[in-house]
Amino acid sequence: MPDTTTMPLAPMTPHAAISAFNYLRAVQADDVDAAREFAGAEPRMPELLVDVVTRIVVPVTALPGPQAGEPCADTFALEALGRVFVTSLRVWAQAGPDAAEGIARAVIDFAAQFLTEDHEDVADVLRQLEAVGVGQALDAHPAPAGAHPVRLTAV
């Protein structure tokens, strides 16, 4: 089986990035109705969430470059843990649309454990990740001239 965590990812479309982050924010806010609506509008939600989590987890857990010096055993363990986490979520996503909430909660927990500082809220981190993810998607898939700008839906 190829190691897909080290293969370059195809850019997400703006719609896919916005849909995934809308769903993540709804789950994080425990807004069951909004989460159900977002998931119902996008039957591939589990796969979109795995795409998002791959873009978050791989850079956080990757081995440092040569400028960081010689990696230690902990850096190898963290990199392996990141691969296992992403692979597990990818397998879980194959269960279908009902897997979306569990995957979203795993992404939210990862953000809470690894990406928040003492003074930050997970919702703030998700907004920051969304801004980066949607920005990358827009860079990869620019809107045609004269199109309306993309607006993010607040939950």
Side-chain angles (χ1 to χ4, degrees):
M1 173 189 268
D3 182 7
T4 56
T5 60
T6 58
M7 294 171 58
L9 296 169
M12 291 184 82
T13 65
H15 174 76
I18 291 167
S19 294
F21 279 102
N22 280 343
Y23 184 77
L24 280 171
R25 287 186 290 110
V27 170
Q28 193 274 327
D30 290 323
D31 188 339
V32 175
D33 293 333
R36 189 177 303 123
E37 183 179 328
F38 291 131
E42 180 52 75
R44 294 180 343 125
M45 188 58 71
E47 292 86 7
L48 296 181
L49 294 171
V50 172
D51 199 359
V52 165
V53 79
T54 301
R55 294 166 197 281
I56 296 168
V57 171
V58 171
V60 170
T61 62
L63 290 172
Q67 71 279 7
E70 195 64 32
C72 66
D74 289 345
T75 57
F76 286 106
L78 183 61
E79 191 268 341
L81 182 61
R83 279 190 284 115
V84 168
F85 182 61
V86 169
T87 300
S88 297
L89 293 181
R90 188 172 290 117
V91 170
W92 193 3
Q94 294 173 2
D98 291 340
E101 183 179 354
I103 294 169
R105 294 212 179 272
V107 174
I108 292 163
D109 192 44
F110 181 89
Q113 297 298 319
F114 289 95
L115 304 177
T116 59
E117 301 286 328
D118 291 333
H119 62 282
E120 285 182 305
D121 181 36
V122 174
D124 294 333
V125 171
L126 289 176
R127 280 189 287 279
Q128 293 169 16
L129 292 170
E130 179 178 25
V132 170
V134 172
Q136 290 172 344
L138 288 170
D139 288 345
H141 302 277
H148 295 292
V150 173
R151 284 191 303 148
L152 303 178
T153 303
V155 179

